Structures are given as C-alpha cells and as structure tokens.
Amino acid sequence: MAHTIKKAAVALAAAILTTGVSATATAAESGISVSANLGLVTDYKFRGVSQTDGGAAIQGGADLELENGFYLGTWASQVDFAWGGDETDYEQDFYGGYTGEFSTGVGYDLGYIYYAYHGSDRDEDYQEVYGSIAISNLTLGAAYSDDYWAGTGKFLYAYGEFGFELPAALSLDFHLGANLFEEEGFLFGADSYVDYSLTLSRAFGGLSLSASLVGTDISDRECYGLDWCEPSVLAGATYSW
C-alpha cells in the first residue's frame, strides 16, 4: 500500500501543477482561494505520539477558502500502527470551519474534523469539534471528541502555541498540549498526558523546511510498551502552491 500511496501522491501533484494556473485564476474571479500541499516527514507524530512506528511518511492535502471566512479541506498521510497483517495504511482527514476577527489582531477559528483510517478492519475513525483564539503570536485552542480514536471514549485536547521570527528568515514555534481522557483506555495505565514541540522552520518560496523536537511525558510502559512517545527530532519538507 505504501507504493500505491506514493504513486497517488505523485500523480496528484502532477495533476494539480498542470492545472494550477487556470484553476487559480477561475477561483480568484469567484472569490474562492484554492491551495494544495505535498510533503515528507521523517516521522509523523500526532499530539506527540508516532503514527508511523517511527518511520517516514508522505503527506498531502488541499484547501478551499471563501472570502467570507468559511473553508473546507482534506489532508492525508501514511500511517503504521504495527497491527501486523491487518494493517492500517493511511489516514485521511476531512474538515471545515469558519475564521474571523473579534478586533484587529484578535482572530478566531471554529470547525469540525473527521479522521478516517483505511486498510484495517478495526474501527479507528473518530470526529472532533475545535476552536481557537489567536492574539498576535499567541494561539490558545481546544478540541473535543465524543468518542476518540478506536472507541476510547470522550476526549479533550487543550493547547497553546507561540511563534516568532528569527534572523535569516527563520521561524521558531513552541507548542504545549494537554490530552485529557474520560478514562484509561487510549494509554496503558494513564488517563492524561502532556505533549510538546519546538520547531525551527524556513520557507524558500513555496518550499518549507523544518526541524522539530517532539515529545510527551508518557512512559514506554504507558505507550503500549513502545518508544513512540519518547522525545525525538524530526525533519520535514513541504511544498505548497
């Protein structure tokens, strides 16, 4: 399946690049903004936990934004949960929401996202509603699921992010998140954990390169007996158009 996803990603990129100019012109005339992205990461970590058994992943997505603040999008990534023969191959997210401003320099974002997982007979899909407030370089937000990944119950995610510009066109971003579960089940012997990341990035036109330190306070025992939750340094490259 990994080869299939790679071929699909390359084909998607070629198709979008071929039609990108005319599509952008048509969208601009109708007040619609369309964008897409394709990237590679050395390890896909979501809320501090590896989704690829410590391996690399190809990722990509597309977004549609209306001038009135509404948006829709989809994003996909390879995943590897080490299930063995009944393997989950990739994740695909579908989301939509609304962005606006309370006042100059104070913005907000409200939306809904559905996480779909493909390749396994296990039911891992779940949904979340989310919201955030951005004040200058600081963002505070939260997401809530009525039944989190693989039916592990109610879940609340609260986070804060702060970013600023450095010399040489570099950006530095901090992230801290609290993962709160209704009961044990997602982890072995724990109903909450903290994740964090520190990311240094630089854009070269449409290409963005990044290096991140990502980790959690979860022990290997709580993390399914694996090292997926340990702090690690990741690298990524994404091209957007």
Side-chain angles (χ1 to χ4, degrees):
M1 177 58 96
H3 296 295
T4 302
I5 295 174
K6 290 181 181 178
K7 291 179 181 178
V10 172
L12 173 63
I16 294 178
L17 285 173
T18 303
T19 61
V21 176
S22 60
T24 301
T26 302
E29 293 173 0
S30 61
I32 299 174
S33 173
V34 180
S35 61
N37 60 84
L38 185 64
L40 175 68
V41 291
T42 56
D43 185 2
Y44 168 31
K45 284 199 168 185
F46 179 63
R47 293 172 181 163
V49 181
S50 177
Q51 310 291 288
T52 50
D53 195 19
I58 291 177
Q59 305 174 329
D63 294 279
L64 183 151
E65 298 180 18
L66 306 180
E67 60 182 7
N68 60 8
F70 286 97
Y71 62 87
L72 294 171
T74 184
W75 181 87
S77 175
Q78 291 174 278
V79 298
D80 182 0
F81 297 143
W83 288 132
D86 184 19
E87 183 61 279
T88 305
D89 297 303
Y90 70 99
E91 166 193 339
Q92 186 172 16
D93 307 336
F94 302 92
Y95 51 86
Y98 179 81
T99 61
E101 285 189 340
F102 291 116
S103 61
T104 303
V106 181
Y108 61 90
D109 182 8
L110 300 172
Y112 167 88
I113 182 168
Y114 185 86
Y115 299 85
Y117 295 87
H118 306 278
S120 172
D121 290 334
R122 294 174 172 82
D123 183 9
E124 301 165 317
D125 295 5
Y126 67 98
Q127 61 185 352
E128 290 182 345
V129 291
Y130 60 85
S132 65
I133 296 177
I135 305 172
S136 186
N137 295 336
L138 174 67
T139 300
L140 300 175
Y144 173 78
S145 175
D146 59 350
D147 194 8
Y148 200 50
W149 179 79
T152 48
K154 295 179 181 179
F155 168 77
L156 176 65
Y157 186 66
Y159 67 91
E161 296 176 338
F162 184 79
F164 56 91
E165 301 297 321
L166 297 176
L170 293 168
S171 297
L172 187 62
D173 296 281
F174 298 91
H175 169 92
L176 183 65
N179 300 257
L180 309 172
F181 302 89
E182 182 181 30
E183 56 188 24
E184 297 177 7
F186 180 80
L187 299 172
F188 293 162
D191 60 4
S192 66
Y193 75 92
V194 172
D195 72 272
Y196 57 86
S197 66
L198 174 63
T199 301
L200 183 67
S201 61
R202 192 183 193 285
F204 300 86
L207 176 65
S208 177
L209 302 179
S210 64
S212 304
L213 171 65
V214 182
T216 72
D217 66 347
I218 307 172
S219 68
D220 286 353
R221 180 186 62 82
E222 294 168 338
C223 192
Y224 325 112
L226 302 170
D227 61 359
W228 294 359
C229 308
E230 291 183 355
S232 60
V233 176
L234 320 178
T238 302
Y239 188 79
S240 303
W241 61 93

